[in-house]
Amino acid sequence: MSDVAGRTGLIVGVANKRSLAWGIAQAAAAGGARLILTYQNERLRENVEALAATLDPAPLLLPCDVARDEEIEALCSAIQAQAGGLDFVVHGAAFAPREALSSPFVETSRDAFRTALDISAYSLVALARGTQPLLANRGGGSIVTLTYLGAERVFPNYNVMGVAKAALEATVRYLAADLGPQNIRVNAISAGPVKTLAASGISGFSGILQVYRERAPLRRNVESSDVADTALFLLSHAGRGITGDVIMVDGGYSVMGM
Ligand code: NAP
């Protein structure tokens, strides 16, 4: 039995059945966790509701636009009232304006830069701050976010999202140092490319998938379930000694020189 059984977890970033956060939600629910899923706004609620209905036990559904501090506060109050605490948090939200992912990086506007960094990196700080008391109530817990190798290396059209992921990875380290004394661990999974809604916003994404398939030591693309299983490890007691880290789940692509 997985040791997320009986644990309560918040998962942010389920948009549809391809979402990496949805893969993690499925794995955690299968492991016996009780889940809280969020949706960004009313327009997107139905999608998440339909997916949530397929999980047993049925997750609690709450709204949260991570760009809004008041929504994060309301989310955490609702969790306190309805679940009494949290054992883990999955942060799978990211966004950059589409034009910033198709034009030369040097053309990135101040607005696009601000939006990408706000939603894709700062939101982890805000979510960690909001959930800290809920996790501390349970004697600690685990926070996992999702990043990409574009934080360290240049990929065509990944652009400002690479800068946001670099900030996200540094954020993981600073949060880990702050929250570690409360036994709250903070880690990132750096996933290889997976065809999701967010990925489809990056021009030439299928070319990136192909290069990974050809060059990664495992000679395949990773799947959402590969990422989910590593997330479950980090979220559970099995990952208790790991914090502040970025774990690669990319079929080994990142070790190759060429
Ligand atoms: P996805 O299904 O499109 O998930 C992205 C999520 O971010 C969506 O649920 C989206 O919600 C949410 N989001 C955007 N703005 C938000 C906001 N203001 N408030 C709350 N939620 C917001 O794509 P994904 O690929 O699974 O992305 C999940 C994470 O994995 C991202 O951090 C991504 O960068 C990372 N990642 C992806 C890959 C890949 O190749 N797919 C590789 C490495 C890392 P709405 O759609 O409802 O707006």
Side-chain angles (χ1 to χ4, degrees):
M1 193 164 64
S2 156
D3 66 0
V4 294
R7 302 291 175 107
T8 304
L10 167 65
I11 300 191
V12 175
V14 175
N16 57 39
K17 66 178 188 334
R18 289 173 181 261
S19 298
L20 296 181
W22 174 241
I24 299 171
Q26 285 178 299
R34 285 189 306 263
L35 299 179
I36 296 132
L37 304 185
T38 63
Y39 52 91
Q40 195 194 328
N41 56 43
E42 282 306 313
R43 189 173 57 81
L44 302 162
R45 178 186 186 144
E46 260 180 45
N47 263 0
V48 185
E49 235 166 25
L51 288 173
T54 65
L55 296 183
D56 183 24
L60 184 61
L61 279 190
L62 293 167
C64 184
D65 179 338
V66 297
R68 296 174 177 275
D69 286 332
E70 64 279 13
E71 292 200 16
I72 293 177
E73 275 169 35
L75 171 72
C76 294
S77 305
I79 295 172
Q80 175 63 52
Q82 297 184 53
L86 276 178
D87 299 296
F88 63 82
V89 176
V90 175
H91 170 271
F95 176 78
R98 192 170 267 265
E99 72 277 7
L101 303 175
S102 53
S103 33
F105 175 68
V106 70
E107 306 289 343
T108 307
S109 69
R110 192 179 295 274
D111 251 12
F113 191 96
R114 199 175 359 231
T115 301
L117 273 280
D118 182 17
I119 295 177
S120 315
Y122 180 76
S123 62
L124 180 66
V125 182
L127 200 63
R129 187 168 58 246
T131 56
Q132 177 183 6
L134 298 167
L135 293 161
N137 267 351
R138 298 279 176 93
S142 173
I143 301 175
V144 167
T145 187
L146 294 160
T147 185
Y148 180 58
L149 187 60
E152 294 171 44
R153 303 192 199 161
V154 174
F155 287 83
N157 295 316
Y158 200 61
N159 296 357
V160 72
M161 193 53 93
V163 178
K165 292 304 192 191
L168 180 72
E169 292 180 14
T171 296
V172 162
R173 293 185 281 273
Y174 277 91
L175 286 173
D178 263 7
L179 304 181
Q182 291 177 283
N183 195 31
I184 298 171
R185 299 182 291 107
V186 188
N187 292 289
I189 293 174
S190 184
V194 181
K195 213 169 168 67
T196 61
L197 190 63
S200 66
I202 300 156
S203 302
F205 183 76
S206 49
I208 297 179
L209 278 172
Q210 189 184 337
V211 169
Y212 269 72
R213 269 197 307 275
E214 288 168 2
R215 302 202 193 152
L218 295 183
R219 296 290 192 277
R220 67 172 178 89
N221 287 124
V222 295
E223 292 168 9
S224 176
S225 63
D226 295 313
V227 176
D229 286 346
T230 302
L232 227 59
F233 159 70
L234 287 171
L235 295 174
S236 71
H237 187 67
R240 64 194 174 280
I242 303 172
T243 195
D245 217 343
V246 177
I247 310 279
M248 309 303 301
V249 180
D250 65 347
Y253 177 83
S254 55
V255 306
M256 301 303 288
M258 63 183 286

